């Protein structure tokens, strides 16, 4: 028998019991749909993690003040205790060779006003290395000049969201805006970064030099002279993150005169560790979803095998007749394998369609990142064909081993 003859015979047999064939393929449909959804969400999440890494920096350490002890022994929020200083920034820059960039930071909330337009936003007081550490580019205008970091001038850089709110289609360069009650001159606009890895609008902020922020915007916060809320460190190589973190912790403990065994008054956050944790969580969820999809495929495959065994039992006389007129065991085996693979392939095609639609719906309703591509479809089709081939082999082999004389005696 030719391949076309086998295919035509298999289609005729399945059409004769189309309802049973449809129900048999249900497990494969569910399994393939689950594979599509699982892989699409996994790839989308990984792409989101990559986006977060590019936004946060994979070679970065963030140091913040640890929360102090409040009334009744309750620990206050991290950053509420002023334990870091500009001197710590300079010490890290000079004494930690792996630290390529170091920048102190102050931040707070404010109302920014231009004419009748205003916006509630966040201000950040930064040092020059902050732009390199966070990979911020200037879309319009210029970055701060070296003289601006002395604190005597009042320049400001606008995030894209703030620029649109205040100036619409204009860039606002040279205009005067008020941060709270203090006038600032717009010298530039930051390039847009959009939504961050944690869902925040990265463009909803304004940036001023650190000393200007200390004197003009943060004077009411009651901070000690020279204090900073956070220190960001850009390490020269990702391989040196652990050693740089250890050196920084030792240096700050020495500078802050912390006794051995005593608790640090600062906290070092390794961005790479956060990303690694999130990646591990994503991989675990992908494995769980993969296990569910695998179980569905196994159940579907067992269903195919059971139905094919029933079909062999029902068609013993037909098999004997085919062998009597010249069909060999290999022809019978190929025919039943073709039927099993057709059931699985048709179920796979339906499952692919449901999986693609389901992934898009899950992404929209569940607000999850989804990434569909041709490789996912090819993988799902291969799974469906493999399922039919694996679970259809035993019934096909059983049919091919029947004795034609005994088969013809069956009623």
């Amino acid at each position: 028998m030719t391949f076309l003859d086998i295919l035509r015979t298999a289609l005729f047999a399945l059409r004769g019991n189309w309802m049973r064939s449809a129900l048999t393929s249900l497990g494969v449909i569910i399994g393939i749909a689950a594979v599509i959804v699982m892989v699409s969400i996994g790839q989308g999440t990984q792409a989101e993690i990559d986006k977060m890494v590019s936004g946060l920096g994979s070679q970065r350490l963030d140091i913040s003040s640890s929360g102090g002890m409040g009334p009744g022994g309750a620990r206050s929020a991290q950053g509420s205790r002023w334990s870091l200083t500009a001197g710590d920034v300079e010490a890290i820059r000079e004494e930690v060779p792996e630290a390529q960039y170091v920048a102190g930071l102050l931040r707070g909330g404010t109302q920014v006003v231009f004419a009748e337009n205003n916006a509630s936003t966040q201000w950040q007081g930064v040092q020059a290395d902050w732009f390199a550490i966070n990979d911020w580019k200037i879309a319009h205008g210029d970055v701060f000049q070296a003289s601006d970091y002395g604190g005597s001038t009042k320049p400001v850089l606008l995030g894209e969201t703030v620029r649109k709110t205040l100036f619409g289609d204009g860039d606002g360069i040279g205009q005067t805006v008020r941060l709270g009650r203090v006038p600032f001159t717009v010298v530039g606009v930051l390039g847009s970064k959009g939504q961050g890895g944690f869902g925040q609008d990265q463009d909803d902020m304004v940036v001023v030099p650190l000393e200007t922020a200390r004197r003009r915007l943060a004077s009411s916060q009651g901070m000690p002279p020279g204090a900073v809320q956070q220190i960001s460190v850009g390490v020269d190589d990702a391989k040196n993150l652990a050693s740089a973190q250890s050196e920084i912790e030792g240096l700050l403990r020495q500078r802050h005169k912390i006794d051995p065994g005593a608790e640090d008054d600062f906290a070092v956050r390794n961005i790479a560790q956060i990303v690694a944790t999130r990646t591990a969580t994503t991989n675990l969820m992908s494995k769980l979803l993969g296990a569910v999809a695998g179980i569905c495929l196994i159940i579907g495959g067992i269903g195919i095998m059971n139905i094919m065994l029933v079909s062999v039992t029902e068609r013993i006389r037909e098999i004997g007749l085919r062998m009597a007129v010249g069909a060999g065991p290999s022809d019978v085996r190929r025919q039943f394998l073709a039927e099993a693979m057709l059931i699985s392939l048709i179920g796979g095609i339906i499952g692919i369609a449901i999986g693609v639609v389901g992934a898009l719906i899950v992404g929209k309703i569940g607000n999850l990142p989804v990434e569909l591509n041709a490789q996912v479809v090819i993988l799902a089709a291969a799974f469906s064909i493999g399922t039919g081939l694996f679970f259809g082999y035993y019934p096909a082999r059983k049919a091919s081993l029947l004795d034609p004389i005994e088969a013809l005696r069956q009623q």
Side-chain angles (χ1 to χ4, degrees):
M1 295 178 68
T2 66
F3 173 77
L4 290 178
D5 290 334
I6 294 173
L7 183 61
R8 185 165 47 249
T9 303
L11 284 172
F12 180 80
L14 295 180
R15 188 175 59 182
N17 294 284
W18 66 270
M19 179 60 74
R20 184 169 69 181
S21 300
L23 293 175
T24 302
S25 65
L26 189 59
V28 176
I29 292 173
I30 296 173
I32 295 300
V35 168
I36 294 284
V37 174
M38 175 268 297
V39 175
S40 299
I41 292 178
Q43 291 184 343
T45 304
Q46 189 59 51
E48 194 72 14
I49 290 175
D50 294 340
K51 179 181 176 182
M52 183 182 73
V53 171
S54 64
L56 295 178
S58 59
Q59 299 173 200
R60 169 176 167 176
L61 298 171
D62 284 335
I63 309 152
S64 57
S65 301
S66 295
M69 299 304 291
R75 178 169 293 279
S76 56
Q78 191 176 67
S80 61
R81 179 177 163 189
W82 303 99
S83 63
L84 299 175
T85 66
D88 294 330
V89 177
E90 295 305 317
I92 293 172
R93 181 178 287 116
E94 294 174 2
E95 300 185 34
V96 180
E98 296 89 350
Q100 184 177 14
Y101 302 105
V102 186
L105 175 70
L106 290 172
R107 62 164 62 93
T110 189
Q111 195 80 9
V112 57
V113 181
F114 175 75
E116 71 278 6
N117 299 323
N118 67 88
S120 179
T121 188
Q122 293 287 317
W123 60 262
Q124 298 205 37
V126 305
Q127 294 180 313
D129 284 357
W130 178 85
F131 297 95
I133 294 172
N134 294 274
D135 194 28
W136 278 106
K137 302 295 189 295
I138 302 299
H140 306 284
D142 297 308
V143 74
F144 300 135
Q145 303 300 313
S147 58
D148 292 331
Y149 292 100
S152 58
T153 59
K154 293 180 288 184
V156 64
L157 295 169
L158 305 181
E160 180 63 15
T161 300
V162 178
R163 182 203 64 78
K164 287 182 180 179
T165 302
L166 298 183
F167 299 102
D169 295 332
D171 56 29
I173 305 299
Q175 298 292 338
T176 298
V177 299
R178 285 189 293 109
L179 273 59
R181 297 182 179 181
V182 183
F184 283 78
T185 301
V186 179
V187 298
V189 178
L190 295 170
S192 178
K193 282 193 174 183
Q195 190 178 51
F198 297 102
Q200 78 281 14
D201 183 1
Q202 299 182 91
D203 302 321
D204 187 11
M205 69 171 181
V206 297
V207 178
V208 300
L210 179 64
E211 286 302 318
T212 301
R214 188 192 313 282
R215 298 178 186 181
R216 306 290 183 174
L217 301 176
S219 57
S220 62
Q221 295 185 11
M223 70 177 68
V228 295
Q229 288 173 307
Q230 180 177 306
I231 302 173
S232 294
V233 179
V235 179
D236 57 359
D237 193 314
K239 298 178 182 178
N240 296 330
L241 275 171
S243 61
Q245 180 175 348
S246 178
E247 290 181 40
I248 290 171
E249 289 173 345
L251 175 62
L252 292 181
R253 286 182 65 88
Q254 179 183 358
R255 286 182 54 83
H256 297 183
K257 297 180 173 56
I258 300 174
D259 296 330
E263 185 178 1
D264 292 338
D265 61 357
F266 59 88
V268 180
R269 184 178 66 166
N270 189 329
I271 300 299
Q273 291 177 350
I274 295 174
V275 173
T277 300
R278 183 166 178 174
T279 301
T281 303
T282 302
N283 290 338
L284 178 60
M285 291 303 298
S286 296
K287 290 177 181 178
L288 290 175
L289 289 171
V292 172
I295 291 171
C296 291
L297 284 175
I298 290 173
I299 293 174
I302 292 173
I304 290 174
M305 184 170 63
N306 288 339
I307 292 301
M308 294 307 298
L309 286 172
V310 171
S311 180
V312 169
T313 302
E314 292 177 346
R315 296 159 61 187
I316 288 179
R317 188 173 178 82
E318 174 192 334
I319 295 169
L321 182 60
R322 287 182 183 277
M323 289 183 171
V325 297
S330 61
D331 295 321
V332 175
R333 184 166 57 249
R334 284 198 295 268
Q335 177 190 341
F336 279 88
L337 268 178
E339 291 180 21
M341 292 176 66
L342 272 176
I343 291 175
S344 186
L345 182 59
I346 293 171
I349 293 172
I350 298 173
I352 288 171
I354 294 176
V356 170
V357 174
L360 295 175
I361 292 175
V362 168
K364 189 174 184 61
I365 296 178
N367 197 26
L368 295 172
V370 172
E371 186 173 296
L372 290 165
N373 55 49
Q375 292 181 345
V376 177
V377 176
I378 295 173
L379 177 66
F383 268 128
S384 65
I385 295 174
T387 300
L389 182 63
F390 181 80
F391 287 96
Y393 179 77
Y394 175 69
R397 183 174 181 275
K398 182 177 180 180
S400 68
L401 295 178
L402 289 175
D403 186 297
I405 298 176
E406 294 296 329
L408 287 171
R409 290 177 178 174
Q410 296 290 327
Q411 298 296 326

